[in-house]
């Protein structure tokens, strides 16, 4: 059965960053909770509390919630309205489809002066004669009852007829309480019978949905148990027969008519829990342990594996001389769940424990490889530089060619064809003459040196050449 724990409240407080002391709204519906506890201590600032569709049998431990405005306890096992006097700010209370038979318990809500809406439809008390008039006359602060607005004339009429209506309600309450007491005694008697049968024999589920005992069925001997263990076909046949019996019992349980009481709801829940446990046991038996995935063969050859079933692209980037792997991991998955391992001939990526392995078309350098997540798509991009080439800017040099005997012979034949011949003519020597690098100037005597002739400029019209005038030095 479900219980209210701190972990449960934190899991339902994600909208408040899992902080519970300042929580203003909490939803704990459909948690199979049987008892209200701890909420008034851990969540003092609650304004809205959803507890519908549980198994709560009593309203308790909510009186300290002074700021509570809306309390939803629909579809529970509540039989009486109580312990709500401390909820000073309560404006709306939903008790639809419960087991409230004591209609006079609504008087405990007279202290909740801010209560405006009340829902009691689907309860046994809603079938009482004078039910609406009694509630309207008792709770003067109410504005709406069962989704219907209370008019002024209706309130006046209910107040006038209150003494007579109150007497009718008390008589109907008494009759309901006697009937309810008989139902409880019958349920307790059945429960004790089941417990006593469970102590005297082996238990199985009967057609009525209760636990029954088969005393006549003998226990298997040691030899029979050995045969049972050694014969898987017999074991499988018995499992199938047991499944058919369980299906028949389940069908009979759901087709059996029964009263709608708190005990019947609990019995239904126990039956569903038993079915769930049996299903888990069968699934555990049928579950086969998967062998570990083979990533590398016995001879050391890596295999291509895509267990997480992710899309990917492998690109050979010749411009940057590298191999790029684009793996489409889930966009919102945490990076801590991804593990990358780059090897010279393959790359392995573990995604949430599932391996993705890919054999590379060329050998790469693991020490220079790197991985990153795309900020737009969330994909994992692994860049792996190739081995044997040098990257210079955007240019690359070709790989060194391995020498073979045939290639060396071809190279020597080409060299023999392109042999240079020696030049004998000294004028065509390519080596410079070191002795004549610096040439000496021939010095002539001053008198013998020819004097420079001055050629008159024909451009000057007034120039006259007089031979008697010696030349200027």
């Amino acid at each position: 059965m479900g219980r209210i724990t701190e972990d449960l409240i934190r899991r339902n407080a994600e909208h408040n960053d899992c902080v519970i002391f300042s929580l203003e709204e909490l939803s704990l519906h459909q948690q199979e909770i049987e008892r209200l506890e701890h909420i008034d201590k851990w969540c003092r600032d609650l304004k809205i509390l959803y507890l519908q569709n549980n198994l709560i049998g009593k309203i308790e431990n909510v009186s300290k919630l002074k700021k509570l405005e809306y309390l939803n306890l629909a579809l529970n096992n509540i039989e009486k309205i109580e312990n709500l006097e401390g909820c000073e700010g309560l404006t709306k209370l939903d008790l639809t489809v419960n087991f409230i038979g004591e209609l006079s318990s609504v008087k405990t809500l007279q202290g909740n002066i801010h209560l405006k809406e009340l829902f009691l439809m689907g309860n046994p008390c809603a079938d009482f004669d004078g039910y609406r008039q009694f509630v309207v006359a008792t709770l003067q602060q109410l504005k709406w009852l069962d989704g219907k607005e209370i008019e002024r004339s209706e309130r006046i009429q209910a107040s006038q007829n209150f003494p007579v209506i109150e007497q009718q309600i008390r008589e109907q309450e008494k009759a309901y309480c006697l009937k309810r007491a008989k139902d409880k005694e019958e349920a307790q008697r059945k429960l004790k019978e089941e417990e006593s049968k469970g102590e005297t024999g082996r238990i199985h589920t009967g057609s009525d949905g209760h636990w029954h005992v088969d005393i006549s069925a003998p226990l298997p001997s040691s030899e029979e148990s050995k045969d049972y263990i050694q014969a898987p076909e017999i074991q499988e046949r018995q499992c199938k027969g047991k499944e058919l019996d369980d299906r028949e019992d389940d069908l009979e349980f759901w087709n059996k008519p029964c009263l709608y009481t708190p005990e019947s709801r609990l019995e239904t829940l126990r039956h569903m829990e038993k079915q769930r446990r049996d299903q888990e046991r069968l699934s555990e038996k049928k579950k086969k342990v998967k062998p570990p995935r083979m990533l590398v063969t016995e001879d050391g050859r890596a295999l291509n594996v895509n267990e997480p079933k992710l899309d990917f692209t492998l690109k050979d980037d010749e411009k940057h001389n590298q191999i790029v792997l684009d793996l489409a991991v889930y966009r919102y998955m945490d990076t801590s769940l991804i593990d990358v391992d780059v090897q010279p001939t393959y790359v392995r990526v573990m995604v949430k424990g599932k391996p993705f392995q890919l054999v590379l078309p060329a050998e790469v350098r693991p020490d220079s490889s790197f991985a990153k997540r795309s900020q737009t798509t969330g994909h994992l991009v692994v860049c792996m530089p190739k081995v044997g080439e040098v990257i210079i800017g955007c240019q690359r040099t070709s790989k060194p060619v391995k020498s073979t005997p045939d290639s060396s012979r071809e190279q020597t034949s080409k060299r023999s064809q392109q042999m240079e011949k020696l030049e004998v003519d000294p004028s065509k020597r390519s080596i410079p003459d070191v002795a004549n690098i610096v040439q000496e100037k021939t010095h002539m005597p001053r008198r013998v040196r020819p004097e420079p002739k001055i050629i008159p400029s024909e451009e000057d019209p007034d120039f006259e050449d007089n031979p008697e005038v010696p030349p200027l030095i």
Side-chain angles (χ1 to χ4, degrees):
M1 300 295 179
R3 297 191 61 178
I4 298 177
T5 60
E6 185 177 349
D7 181 61
L8 178 64
I9 296 177
R10 288 192 188 278
R11 281 191 279 111
N12 289 273
E14 294 179 352
H15 59 282
N16 199 42
D17 297 331
C18 298
V19 179
I20 63 175
F21 72 90
S22 62
L23 200 60
E24 295 186 355
E25 182 176 344
L26 180 61
S27 179
L28 296 176
H29 63 283
Q30 296 180 348
Q31 299 290 338
E32 300 178 359
I33 299 170
E34 287 192 15
R35 185 183 176 190
L36 274 174
E37 53 187 352
H38 306 307
I39 294 180
D40 58 339
K41 298 177 182 178
W42 296 340
C43 310
R44 292 287 185 93
D45 295 335
L46 272 181
K47 293 183 179 180
I48 300 174
L49 180 57
Y50 297 99
L51 290 165
Q52 66 270 26
N53 203 357
N54 283 292
L55 299 168
I56 300 170
K58 183 179 179 180
I59 303 175
E60 57 185 344
N61 297 321
V62 292
S63 59
K64 295 181 181 180
L65 302 177
K66 305 296 182 182
K67 300 180 182 179
L68 188 64
E69 298 176 1
Y70 177 33
L71 177 60
N72 192 333
L73 285 166
L75 291 165
N76 279 282
N77 295 346
I78 297 170
E79 300 186 38
K80 184 179 179 180
I81 302 173
E82 56 187 341
N83 300 323
L84 290 173
E85 297 85 357
C87 301
E88 300 171 356
L90 189 64
T91 59
K92 185 177 179 180
L93 177 61
D94 192 348
L95 294 169
T96 305
V97 191
N98 275 276
F99 299 93
I100 299 174
E102 297 183 30
L103 187 57
S104 58
S105 61
V106 297
K107 293 181 180 179
T108 59
L109 298 175
Q110 291 178 344
N112 302 95
I113 58 175
H114 299 289
L115 185 63
K116 304 299 178 187
E117 294 184 64
L118 178 63
F119 292 87
L120 289 172
M121 63 179 69
N123 286 277
C125 65
D127 297 330
F128 292 173
D129 294 334
Y131 147 74
R132 185 175 176 86
Q133 292 180 348
F134 180 82
V135 176
V136 170
T138 304
L139 302 178
Q140 297 290 329
Q141 72 273 28
L142 273 186
K143 301 294 182 185
W144 297 78
L145 178 60
D146 294 335
K148 185 179 179 181
E149 188 177 3
I150 301 172
E151 298 180 357
R152 185 179 178 185
S153 58
E154 184 182 5
R155 193 181 299 278
I156 293 172
Q157 187 178 1
S159 299
Q160 291 174 351
N161 300 330
F162 182 71
V164 179
I165 295 171
E166 186 178 13
Q167 185 64 27
Q168 294 177 355
I169 295 296
R170 285 180 180 176
E171 292 176 359
Q172 295 177 75
E173 274 185 0
K174 190 180 292 183
Y176 174 79
C177 289
L178 290 173
K179 181 184 176 183
R180 184 77 188 93
K182 292 181 181 179
D183 293 341
K184 286 183 178 179
E185 288 178 1
E186 184 68 18
Q188 288 178 359
R189 184 181 60 80
K190 288 182 179 180
L191 187 62
K192 287 180 180 178
E193 288 179 359
E194 292 170 5
E195 289 177 354
S196 61
K197 288 179 181 179
E199 291 175 358
T200 56
R202 290 181 290 113
I203 302 173
H204 68 91
T205 306
S207 60
D208 57 350
H210 297 288
W211 291 99
H212 291 279
V213 182
D214 189 4
I215 303 175
S216 60
L219 292 171
S221 62
S222 59
E223 294 180 358
E224 290 177 355
S225 62
K226 289 179 182 178
D227 296 337
Y228 180 78
I229 294 170
Q230 293 174 358
E233 295 179 358
I234 299 172
Q235 185 177 0
E236 186 177 353
R237 216 176 295 137
Q238 290 179 353
C239 288
K240 288 182 179 179
K242 187 178 180 182
E243 287 181 6
L244 291 172
D245 293 341
D246 291 342
R247 288 177 185 174
E248 291 177 0
D249 294 342
D250 182 58
L251 190 62
E252 289 180 3
F253 175 82
W254 292 113
N255 291 333
K256 181 190 67 175
C258 66
L259 297 174
Y260 183 68
T261 61
E263 290 76 22
S264 65
R265 288 194 73 197
L266 291 171
E267 184 182 0
T268 303
L269 181 65
R270 292 192 191 100
H271 180 76
M272 293 174 66
E273 282 186 349
K274 177 183 175 298
Q275 278 188 323
R276 196 182 304 127
R277 288 195 299 267
D278 293 343
Q279 192 68 27
E280 288 177 358
R281 289 171 186 168
L282 288 174
S283 61
E284 287 177 0
K285 290 179 181 178
K286 293 180 180 179
K287 191 185 293 181
K288 296 180 180 178
V289 180
K290 293 183 179 179
R293 174 77 67 173
M294 181 180 291
L295 301 177
V296 181
T297 58
E298 295 180 357
D299 56 351
R301 183 170 55 88
L303 301 176
N304 290 330
V305 178
N306 189 1
E307 190 170 327
K309 298 180 181 179
L310 300 173
D311 296 333
F312 67 94
T313 56
L314 189 67
K315 185 175 67 174
D316 191 353
D317 189 358
E318 295 182 355
K319 185 177 180 181
H320 298 90
N321 186 31
Q322 62 183 0
I323 298 174
V324 181
L325 171 65
D326 188 341
L327 186 61
V329 298
Y330 312 111
R331 179 179 295 183
Y332 300 108
M333 189 176 67
D334 191 25
T335 310
S336 61
L337 301 174
I338 303 173
D339 186 18
V340 183
D341 182 17
V342 179
Q343 297 295 332
T345 57
Y346 66 91
V347 58
R348 182 185 301 165
V349 182
M350 301 296 291
V351 181
K352 296 178 70 173
K354 296 182 179 180
F356 172 89
Q357 185 169 285
L358 194 63
V359 179
L360 301 175
E363 189 175 353
V364 298
R365 292 183 293 173
D367 55 345
S368 302
S369 303
F370 64 91
K372 61 182 179 180
R373 291 284 296 273
S374 174
Q375 295 182 352
T376 54
T377 61
H379 290 190
L380 178 69
V381 182
V382 185
C383 300
M384 298 165 283
K386 294 181 183 178
V387 173
E389 295 185 3
V390 181
I391 302 173
I392 303 175
C394 293
Q395 299 179 354
R396 70 172 187 174
T397 59
S398 61
K399 294 182 179 179
V401 181
K402 295 182 179 179
S403 62
T404 59
D406 296 337
S407 61
S408 61
R409 289 173 187 173
E410 291 178 0
Q411 290 178 1
T412 52
S413 63
K414 289 180 181 179
R415 288 176 184 173
S416 62
Q417 291 175 4
Q418 298 177 357
M419 289 179 65
E420 298 179 355
K421 296 180 179 180
L422 296 176
E423 296 287 345
V424 181
D425 189 358
S427 62
K428 296 182 179 181
R429 288 183 299 176
S430 60
I431 301 174
D433 188 4
V434 181
N436 296 327
I437 288 177
V438 180
Q439 297 181 359
E440 295 181 357
K441 295 182 180 180
T442 56
H443 297 281
M444 295 178 65
R446 191 170 185 181
R447 292 180 182 177
V448 181
R449 184 184 297 175
E451 296 178 357
K453 294 181 180 181
I454 299 172
I455 301 172
S457 177
E458 297 179 356
E459 295 178 0
D460 191 4
D462 298 334
F463 179 78
E464 292 182 3
D465 188 9
N466 191 353
E468 296 179 357
V469 178
L472 296 173
I473 296 173

